[in-house]
Amino acid sequence: MSQSDYSYSSLPKEISLKIASSLEAPALSSLACCSRDWQEICVSDCLWKSLLKERWPLLCGADKDPNFKDRRGFYVKQHEEQKRQAESVINLVEQRSLFGSLNVVDYLHAISCLERMQFGFRDVQMLLLKPKLNVLLNLIGLHYCLNNLQVPAFHITEALWSGKIADRQVCVKWRPTSNFRRIRGGDQSRCVYLKDLVKGEDDGEVLTVLERGATCELSRVQVSDPFSGSDGKLEKIL
């Protein structure tokens, strides 16, 4: 049999559906571009119903939008809306981060935006856990999934590896205080891989510091990309 004979037409429909059902939405859309036969399979309502349920379980009863005739159309509409909202968070972080460094107030604000937008794990995985984005955005997505959504650590670790960002590093610097006064020479820092944050290799120190933010015990907290070229010095607090 020649190579050209290995096509959708040589497979039973149930086998083709089984193959397509194992794919995520981006891969399913790519497969649909291969041929007219695959396109017919990949737009099947049963496939997109499953993807909708997995990504937005609360919308399962509302997937018959009058502007779309099928679940794929509804999925695309929802995805574009989530993408637009994610871009607002991305722009916020990029505008507020100076030389790869972000103040903890802005960091926590970005996380609160994701919570207000009701982002789910799949939304974060598809839109924020990407190698082309700033590692600070990767960290924000990781932190949100772990602490706010309470996604099991092994799912997040799997997402980091599949997104090829598990070995990226972040550095957190903070300045402890005593009786509302800075402790001279007391600046502390911790650089850690994203994969180790999920596994708690740092004993939870980094995420705990970030959660506490600039409290009366910490006069300054800053998170940065150690490879951004920034020296990461803490700003003076008046």
Side-chain angles (χ1 to χ4, degrees):
M1 182 179 291
S2 66
Q3 185 175 357
S4 61
D5 292 329
Y6 290 99
S7 63
Y8 159 77
S9 59
S10 65
L11 295 174
K13 184 176 181 178
E14 58 270 19
I15 299 299
S16 299
L17 277 171
K18 184 69 174 178
I19 294 172
S21 66
S22 67
L23 303 176
E24 297 289 344
L28 189 62
S29 297
S30 297
L31 181 60
C33 297
C34 292
S35 70
R36 290 182 179 179
D37 291 326
W38 275 116
Q39 183 180 40
E40 181 182 347
I41 285 291
C42 292
V43 298
S44 298
D45 243 22
C46 61
L47 298 177
W48 292 95
K49 180 179 181 179
S50 176
L51 290 171
L52 274 169
K53 184 177 181 180
E54 180 184 21
R55 187 170 175 186
W56 301 295
L58 297 180
L59 294 179
C60 287
D63 58 359
K64 295 183 179 180
D65 191 294
N67 296 321
F68 295 92
K69 297 181 180 180
D70 55 20
R71 289 182 173 88
R72 179 181 179 277
F74 185 75
Y75 184 100
V76 170
K77 179 184 177 182
Q78 288 298 127
H79 175 75
E80 289 302 314
E81 174 60 21
Q82 296 294 87
K83 183 179 179 181
R84 183 188 65 79
Q85 293 182 343
E87 287 173 351
S88 69
V89 175
I90 293 170
N91 291 336
L92 168 70
V93 172
E94 290 180 343
Q95 291 170 6
R96 299 294 178 87
S97 58
L98 300 175
F99 307 106
S101 181
L102 187 67
N103 184 288
V104 72
V105 174
D106 296 322
Y107 175 88
L108 293 175
H109 178 60
I111 290 178
S112 68
C113 286
L114 294 179
E115 187 169 29
R116 186 172 64 253
M117 296 169 181
Q118 299 183 328
F119 266 43
F121 175 53
R122 287 297 185 189
D123 300 320
V124 174
Q125 181 181 7
M126 295 178 70
L127 299 171
L128 293 180
L129 301 184
K130 300 166 62 176
K132 292 183 179 180
L133 292 179
N134 188 313
V135 68
L136 302 180
L137 286 160
N138 298 158
L139 175 62
I140 287 168
L142 180 158
H143 193 157
Y144 173 72
C145 289
L146 197 61
N147 286 23
N148 295 63
L149 297 181
Q150 297 186 339
V151 176
F154 71 91
H155 284 315
I156 301 177
T157 300
E158 186 178 71
L160 295 180
W161 282 112
S162 64
K164 299 180 181 179
I165 59 173
D167 286 323
R168 301 186 84 177
Q169 277 186 298
V170 291
C171 185
V172 177
K173 299 176 182 291
W174 65 97
R175 177 175 294 154
T177 62
S178 177
N179 295 326
F180 302 100
R181 293 187 178 184
R182 297 191 300 274
I183 300 175
R184 185 177 296 276
D187 292 355
Q188 299 182 32
S189 66
R190 188 77 180 262
C191 291
V192 62
Y193 293 104
L194 295 182
K195 62 183 179 183
D196 291 337
L197 277 177
V198 180
K199 294 187 293 183
E201 294 291 335
D202 65 328
D203 297 323
E205 182 180 34
V206 168
L207 293 185
T208 298
V209 168
L210 290 172
E211 281 282 355
R212 287 163 64 190
T215 66
C216 61
E217 299 172 344
L218 303 170
S219 66
R220 181 72 173 182
V221 181
Q222 199 172 44
V223 58
S224 62
D225 177 357
F227 302 107
S228 65
S230 168
D231 60 10
K233 291 181 179 178
L234 297 179
E235 298 177 11
K236 183 178 180 180
I237 304 298
L238 299 177

PDB file of all heavy atoms in Angstrom, residues 33 36 57-58 77 99-100 195 210-211 236:
ATOM      1  N   CYS A  33      -7.773  20.593   9.028  1.00  0.00           N
ATOM      2  CA  CYS A  33      -7.223  21.239   7.822  1.00  0.00           C
ATOM      3  C   CYS A  33      -6.539  20.256   6.879  1.00  0.00           C
ATOM      4  O   CYS A  33      -6.111  20.635   5.784  1.00  0.00           O
ATOM      5  CB  CYS A  33      -6.225  22.322   8.234  1.00  0.00           C
ATOM      6  SG  CYS A  33      -6.950  23.672   9.201  1.00  0.00           S
ATOM      7  N   ARG A  36     -10.804  17.172   3.467  1.00  0.00           N
ATOM      8  CA  ARG A  36     -12.248  17.376   3.638  1.00  0.00           C
ATOM      9  C   ARG A  36     -12.848  16.278   4.508  1.00  0.00           C
ATOM     10  O   ARG A  36     -13.770  16.523   5.302  1.00  0.00           O
ATOM     11  CB  ARG A  36     -12.931  17.392   2.280  1.00  0.00           C
ATOM     12  CG  ARG A  36     -12.620  18.623   1.447  1.00  0.00           C
ATOM     13  CD  ARG A  36     -13.380  18.602   0.130  1.00  0.00           C
ATOM     14  NE  ARG A  36     -13.094  19.806  -0.655  1.00  0.00           N
ATOM     15  CZ  ARG A  36     -13.615  20.032  -1.856  1.00  0.00           C
ATOM     16  NH1 ARG A  36     -14.418  19.123  -2.421  1.00  0.00           N
ATOM     17  NH2 ARG A  36     -13.311  21.154  -2.497  1.00  0.00           N
ATOM     18  N   PRO A  57     -17.409  23.517  32.344  1.00  0.00           N
ATOM     19  CA  PRO A  57     -18.499  22.631  32.783  1.00  0.00           C
ATOM     20  C   PRO A  57     -19.799  23.365  33.119  1.00  0.00           C
ATOM     21  O   PRO A  57     -20.887  22.813  32.940  1.00  0.00           O
ATOM     22  CB  PRO A  57     -17.917  21.941  34.027  1.00  0.00           C
ATOM     23  CG  PRO A  57     -16.792  22.806  34.471  1.00  0.00           C
ATOM     24  CD  PRO A  57     -16.228  23.413  33.227  1.00  0.00           C
ATOM     25  N   LEU A  58     -19.697  24.617  33.559  1.00  0.00           N
ATOM     26  CA  LEU A  58     -20.908  25.372  33.920  1.00  0.00           C
ATOM     27  C   LEU A  58     -21.681  25.861  32.701  1.00  0.00           C
ATOM     28  O   LEU A  58     -22.815  26.302  32.827  1.00  0.00           O
ATOM     29  CB  LEU A  58     -20.529  26.570  34.798  1.00  0.00           C
ATOM     30  CG  LEU A  58     -19.890  26.234  36.152  1.00  0.00           C
ATOM     31  CD1 LEU A  58     -19.568  27.517  36.913  1.00  0.00           C
ATOM     32  CD2 LEU A  58     -20.801  25.346  36.979  1.00  0.00           C
ATOM     33  N   LYS A  77     -16.283  30.945  20.085  1.00  0.00           N
ATOM     34  CA  LYS A  77     -16.720  32.232  20.633  1.00  0.00           C
ATOM     35  C   LYS A  77     -16.238  32.392  22.072  1.00  0.00           C
ATOM     36  O   LYS A  77     -15.723  33.457  22.456  1.00  0.00           O
ATOM     37  CB  LYS A  77     -18.242  32.331  20.570  1.00  0.00           C
ATOM     38  CG  LYS A  77     -18.773  33.643  21.137  1.00  0.00           C
ATOM     39  CD  LYS A  77     -20.293  33.672  21.138  1.00  0.00           C
ATOM     40  CE  LYS A  77     -20.797  34.968  21.770  1.00  0.00           C
ATOM     41  NZ  LYS A  77     -22.278  35.019  21.835  1.00  0.00           N
ATOM     42  N   PHE A  99      12.043  46.083  33.468  1.00  0.00           N
ATOM     43  CA  PHE A  99      13.256  45.287  33.301  1.00  0.00           C
ATOM     44  C   PHE A  99      13.077  43.866  33.840  1.00  0.00           C
ATOM     45  O   PHE A  99      13.967  43.313  34.483  1.00  0.00           O
ATOM     46  CB  PHE A  99      14.440  45.969  33.988  1.00  0.00           C
ATOM     47  CG  PHE A  99      14.643  47.397  33.565  1.00  0.00           C
ATOM     48  CD1 PHE A  99      14.313  48.436  34.412  1.00  0.00           C
ATOM     49  CD2 PHE A  99      15.148  47.690  32.305  1.00  0.00           C
ATOM     50  CE1 PHE A  99      14.496  49.761  34.016  1.00  0.00           C
ATOM     51  CE2 PHE A  99      15.327  49.008  31.910  1.00  0.00           C
ATOM     52  CZ  PHE A  99      15.003  50.035  32.766  1.00  0.00           C
ATOM     53  N   GLY A 100      11.883  43.315  33.612  1.00  0.00           N
ATOM     54  CA  GLY A 100      11.637  41.938  34.039  1.00  0.00           C
ATOM     55  C   GLY A 100      11.288  41.793  35.504  1.00  0.00           C
ATOM     56  O   GLY A 100      11.308  40.677  36.034  1.00  0.00           O
ATOM     57  N   LYS A 195       8.787  24.169  38.075  1.00  0.00           N
ATOM     58  CA  LYS A 195       8.430  22.787  38.420  1.00  0.00           C
ATOM     59  C   LYS A 195       8.626  22.522  39.907  1.00  0.00           C
ATOM     60  O   LYS A 195       7.870  21.761  40.521  1.00  0.00           O
ATOM     61  CB  LYS A 195       9.263  21.799  37.591  1.00  0.00           C
ATOM     62  CG  LYS A 195      10.771  21.892  37.838  1.00  0.00           C
ATOM     63  CD  LYS A 195      11.548  20.948  36.937  1.00  0.00           C
ATOM     64  CE  LYS A 195      13.054  21.069  37.191  1.00  0.00           C
ATOM     65  NZ  LYS A 195      13.837  20.211  36.273  1.00  0.00           N
ATOM     66  N   LEU A 210       4.747  35.663  48.446  1.00  0.00           N
ATOM     67  CA  LEU A 210       3.943  36.373  47.461  1.00  0.00           C
ATOM     68  C   LEU A 210       2.502  36.550  47.932  1.00  0.00           C
ATOM     69  O   LEU A 210       1.886  37.589  47.684  1.00  0.00           O
ATOM     70  CB  LEU A 210       3.976  35.620  46.127  1.00  0.00           C
ATOM     71  CG  LEU A 210       5.313  35.642  45.383  1.00  0.00           C
ATOM     72  CD1 LEU A 210       5.276  34.708  44.184  1.00  0.00           C
ATOM     73  CD2 LEU A 210       5.663  37.063  44.943  1.00  0.00           C
ATOM     74  N   GLU A 211       1.965  35.559  48.620  1.00  0.00           N
ATOM     75  CA  GLU A 211       0.605  35.650  49.141  1.00  0.00           C
ATOM     76  C   GLU A 211       0.498  36.748  50.193  1.00  0.00           C
ATOM     77  O   GLU A 211      -0.479  37.491  50.248  1.00  0.00           O
ATOM     78  CB  GLU A 211       0.177  34.309  49.751  1.00  0.00           C
ATOM     79  CG  GLU A 211      -0.254  33.263  48.729  1.00  0.00           C
ATOM     80  CD  GLU A 211      -1.654  33.500  48.202  1.00  0.00           C
ATOM     81  OE1 GLU A 211      -2.342  34.420  48.680  1.00  0.00           O
ATOM     82  OE2 GLU A 211      -2.066  32.764  47.287  1.00  0.00           O
ATOM     83  N   LYS A 236      13.816  51.735  47.269  1.00  0.00           N
ATOM     84  CA  LYS A 236      13.769  52.314  48.606  1.00  0.00           C
ATOM     85  C   LYS A 236      12.326  52.663  48.956  1.00  0.00           C
ATOM     86  O   LYS A 236      11.582  53.225  48.160  1.00  0.00           O
ATOM     87  CB  LYS A 236      14.617  53.587  48.653  1.00  0.00           C
ATOM     88  CG  LYS A 236      14.677  54.222  50.037  1.00  0.00           C
ATOM     89  CD  LYS A 236      15.580  55.438  50.020  1.00  0.00           C
ATOM     90  CE  LYS A 236      15.638  56.073  51.412  1.00  0.00           C
ATOM     91  NZ  LYS A 236      16.513  57.266  51.420  1.00  0.00           N
TER      92      LYS A 236
END
